[in-house]
Each structure stands twice: as structure tokens, then as C-alpha cells.
Amino acid sequence: MKKVAVITDSSAYLPEDIVQSLDLHVVPLTLHWEEETYRDGVDIRAEEFYERLAEADSLPTTSQTTVGEFERLFKELLDQDFAVIAILISRGISGTVESALQAKELFPDAPIAVVDSKLVSMALGFMVMAVARAAQDGASLEECQAIAESVYPKIGVYFTVDTLKYLNKGGRINTAKRLLGAALNIKPIMEIRDGKIELVESVRSRKKASQRLLELTEKGIAGRAPVWISTFHAAAEADNQALMAEAEARFEPVETITTFVSPVVGTHTGPGTLSIAYMAGVD
């Protein structure tokens, strides 16, 4: 049985120590900004990106990982006698899954699986981690696919933004909701549901938004154990630390991860984004 290599994309923004320890292969999405092109997490890091975004007159655009990038990596791993599973950002948010599927067609009958996670950021990261740990323990390609499917309903992610203008500009949320947020100065609470960004509710302050993130996470966990928690942010370090401290006290997770919203995702959510993801009840 072939050993399984696990690929994901940069939108997960997994910390480098986890990428290395789990032998992950990360393909970058792309930012286009003021006539320059940047590979997400490679040519531009989160800290630099959000400082620049806060002062920018023009906003960047983003593009999916290319077919050629997947073709190159698939060939490299197949030549090393690996089976390959690519677990990628929701196709409801990005065309990256389609690029991977097109590249897969170039290798007929090769042991390659492409998984639409229907997730993004550390929610995607938790799925990738569960599969990668199974692969390191010797799980087959088919078993890795089954694990990805089985953990999906045990993962959730919620986030709040300072303004809806970035989501609106990128076409991720409609104009009416953007105008509502501007008029009432509300803080929207959103989730990734069925692979798309959905507005859950709105509250009147940043503090209330942070508390609702915890309450919704508790509801999603629904008493299941063990629990994994990640908090991640876009230029909101203090809020992120406070959110993690409360999450640790409330949920007693077996593992915690703090990281950034990746630049390619942050392009659409903006500075000030604060997020929490969980995985619960996975054996």
C-alpha cells in the first residue's frame, strides 16, 4: 500500500511547525496588488499584509492555485511513489478545487483524490490535520478520504469583521447587508455553512461579538469531546489572545492553535477580523 501525501492550500494558514511535523505540502493562492503578484504566505506574510492593507488606496484581488502548480506537485509526489490527497478551500469560495481536478485528469488512473473541504482557514486546517495524522499512521488513500468526510460535521468556524466593505467588494456578501452594517455600526457574526459565507446575526459591539463567537462555538461543540480550538485574526492580536484565553477556560481543549487569517482570505474580510474554529468528538 502506498504512503499518502497530503496537500492543502495556503488559505488554511497552518503554523509552520505543524506543516513540518505533519509533512504537509502547501500550495499558495495568489494576490494581485498594484501590478505585483504575490504568493500567499510565501512572498507576503500576514503581518506585513495587514499593515499595508489598512493604509491602501486600492485593494488587492485574489486568484486560485493554478492547474500547473497542481500538475507539478502531483507529478513530484507520484514520482516518489506516493498516493496523493488534496484537501482544499471550499469551491464555494475559490476555484482551487477545479484547478486540482483539472490537474488530476492529466494523470489517468493515478492514486489522486481531490477533496472539497467546504471549509476555509483553520476549519480547513483541522480537517487537514486529522487526515495527515491518519496518513502518518499508515491510513490508505481511501481511508484518508473517509476520514475527511467523517470529520466535516464535527468542525465549525465563526468570525466577525469590523466592516462588511471587503466582503461586499469581493462579492462574498450582498450590498444590502453591507449597507445595513454601515448604517447601524453593527458587528456581523458569520460562519462557513455548506461551503459559503453566511451571516448568522449581528451585535452592537466588538465585545459582544467576541462573546457570541464563544457561545456559537459552544453550541456547535454540543458537549462532544475531545475538543480542538483555534483562534485566528487579521491585525487583532490582543482580541485574539483574549478570545483564546476564554476558549481554553470554557472548552478545555486537547490542542490549541493561534494563527492569522491568511492574506488571501483577509483580502475579503479586512483588518480586524476575529475568528474561532473548533473540531470536536473526533476519535
Side-chain angles (χ1 to χ4, degrees):
M1 184 177 68
K2 293 179 182 289
K3 186 174 177 60
V4 178
V6 180
I7 297 171
T8 192
D9 62 75
S10 62
S11 71
Y13 224 74
L14 284 156
E16 188 59 29
D17 60 332
I18 292 176
V19 171
Q20 295 296 327
S21 67
L22 295 180
D23 297 322
L24 298 173
H25 303 268
V26 181
V27 293
L29 282 75
T30 304
L31 291 159
H32 307 281
W33 203 358
E34 296 176 348
E35 300 182 357
E36 298 289 338
T37 297
Y38 303 91
R39 291 170 295 169
D40 186 27
V42 178
D43 302 317
I44 191 165
R45 303 296 297 176
E47 300 94 325
E48 171 194 356
F49 174 76
Y50 291 116
E51 287 181 7
R52 183 174 167 186
L53 185 64
E55 300 177 355
D57 294 325
S58 63
L59 299 182
T61 59
T62 61
S63 60
Q64 66 212 52
T65 305
T66 65
V67 176
E69 180 73 11
F70 280 114
E71 179 185 6
R72 180 198 64 75
L73 185 53
F74 287 169
K75 184 178 187 305
E76 177 184 314
L77 294 171
L78 293 169
D79 286 348
Q80 296 176 49
D81 204 33
F82 283 104
V84 178
I85 185 167
I87 307 169
L88 305 170
I89 181 174
S90 170
R91 71 198 313 168
I93 298 172
S94 168
T96 297
V97 167
E98 277 68 28
S99 291
L101 289 170
Q102 290 177 48
K104 178 183 175 182
E105 292 176 358
L106 302 174
F107 302 93
D109 303 319
I112 299 172
V114 176
V115 175
D116 173 9
S117 70
K118 299 181 183 179
L119 299 167
V120 70
S121 298
M122 268 305 305
L124 165 59
F126 280 140
M127 180 181 286
V128 170
M129 289 169 63
V131 171
R133 286 170 174 163
Q136 286 189 331
D137 289 339
S140 68
L141 181 60
E142 292 75 18
E143 288 168 336
C144 286
Q145 285 183 269
I147 289 166
E149 293 175 3
S150 70
V151 301
Y152 173 75
K154 301 173 182 179
I155 294 172
V157 58
Y158 298 95
F159 66 100
T160 186
V161 298
D162 268 353
T163 172
L164 289 170
K165 74 174 185 178
Y166 296 93
L167 285 165
N168 182 69
K169 185 175 179 63
R172 266 63 179 183
I173 198 163
N174 68 43
T175 301
K177 290 174 182 174
R178 178 186 66 81
L179 293 174
L180 178 65
L184 301 180
N185 194 30
I186 59 173
K187 299 301 178 186
I189 307 292
M190 284 165 283
E191 67 175 327
I192 306 300
R193 185 191 309 149
D194 298 325
K196 297 181 180 179
I197 296 171
E198 299 288 350
L199 181 67
V200 178
E201 62 186 71
S202 299
V203 296
R204 288 300 185 99
S205 72
R206 181 78 163 185
K207 184 176 180 180
K208 288 181 180 178
S210 182
Q211 288 302 308
R212 282 302 288 153
L213 293 178
L214 292 165
E215 291 164 2
L216 290 165
T217 297
E218 184 169 26
K219 182 178 179 181
I221 290 170
R224 292 173 295 179
V227 175
W228 288 258
I229 291 289
S230 176
T231 61
F232 46 106
H233 69 99
E237 179 67 37
D239 288 345
N240 194 64
Q241 291 180 357
L243 183 63
M244 176 57 83
E246 292 194 51
E248 287 185 297
R250 184 177 295 206
F251 305 124
E252 299 182 348
V254 296
E255 185 173 5
T256 62
I257 299 169
T258 55
T259 186
F260 290 94
V261 176
S262 80
V264 78
V265 175
T267 294
H268 302 290
T269 61
T273 300
L274 182 64
S275 316
I276 186 167
Y278 69 85
M279 182 170 67
V282 175
D283 297 331

